[in-house]
Amino acid sequence: MIEAFLPVLPLIVFVVANAVVYGLFQGFLYSWIGATTGAVLVFLLVRKLGRQRFFLFLRKHKQVKRVMVWLEEHGFGPLFLLMCFPFSPSAIINVVAGLSGVKTRDFLLAAVLGKSVMIFSITFVGDSITSFTSNPVKTIVVLIGISLFWLLGKFLEQRLAVRAERKNG
């Protein structure tokens, strides 16, 4: 969770350490809960403080504006994919998403599912570093997991959108 507020800390090192110390399941669970909680807290904090002077400076930045608009238009999908990859700048993603008009529901869904894919992938590798490189089946399992979570996220996003439409309609 602390890594979300201090992005210079190496998340991968913490996740691998948790996998080695606690094993696959507990290491994944502890890392996932911490990373997801941190991402959501940063998002909500930026969402609440986004009108402050410092954040106004960020909002006016040309590239930040462009990413904000893109995230608002595309919602869950890009957020999910960005959160799946261990080397994506999650601190920037959380802040820009908080500044944008992305629905909180979409961010939460993308964070919960995307972080689970990312953390599981790293935990899986960390739990069995030597066998991961010699066993391509593990790589295939990770790729299938990413695909399944993406499909689940899109399905949930559509269901939530239909519900919101009915509620507002």
Side-chain angles (χ1 to χ4, degrees):
M1 184 170 77
I2 294 169
E3 186 274 338
F5 291 93
L6 300 171
V8 295
L9 297 175
L11 178 65
I12 291 176
V13 172
F14 293 119
V15 174
V16 169
N18 280 342
V20 169
V21 172
Y22 298 109
L24 180 65
F25 181 72
Q26 278 185 301
F28 161 74
L29 198 60
Y30 295 151
S31 298
W32 176 62
I33 289 169
T36 303
T37 302
V40 170
L41 287 175
V42 168
F43 171 82
L44 293 173
L45 189 64
V46 170
R47 176 71 40 108
K48 184 166 180 66
L49 301 175
R51 304 270 182 242
Q52 300 297 325
R53 185 178 197 146
F54 172 74
F55 290 112
L56 287 177
F57 166 75
L58 278 178
R59 278 181 180 273
K60 292 179 182 177
H61 193 274
K62 189 171 133 180
Q63 284 186 304
V64 172
K65 269 185 178 180
R66 191 169 38 202
V67 173
M68 285 171 44
V69 168
W70 186 74
L71 282 176
E72 289 169 7
E73 290 174 356
H74 295 90
F76 168 81
L79 281 172
F80 169 78
L81 289 174
L82 287 170
M83 289 189 186
C84 282
F85 298 109
F87 299 107
S88 63
S90 61
I92 294 170
I93 295 165
N94 300 335
V95 169
V96 172
L99 291 173
S100 75
V102 168
K103 294 177 182 169
T104 302
R105 168 194 86 208
D106 289 346
F107 182 83
L108 291 174
L109 187 61
V112 167
L113 295 176
K115 293 283 184 192
S116 68
V117 170
M118 177 189 62
I119 299 295
F120 180 76
S121 301
I122 297 169
T123 305
F124 198 68
V125 172
D127 186 52
S128 54
I129 292 173
T130 55
S131 67
F132 190 78
T133 55
S134 63
N135 188 354
V137 172
K138 289 189 176 187
T139 305
I140 294 168
V141 168
V142 169
L143 292 174
I144 290 170
I146 291 171
S147 300
L148 289 175
F149 272 113
W150 183 79
L151 289 170
L152 175 65
K154 289 305 277 181
F155 172 75
L156 290 173
E157 178 188 26
Q158 288 174 348
R159 286 198 57 174
L160 291 170
V162 168
R163 280 189 187 167
E165 222 175 270
R166 286 182 192 156
K167 187 177 180 180
N168 293 334

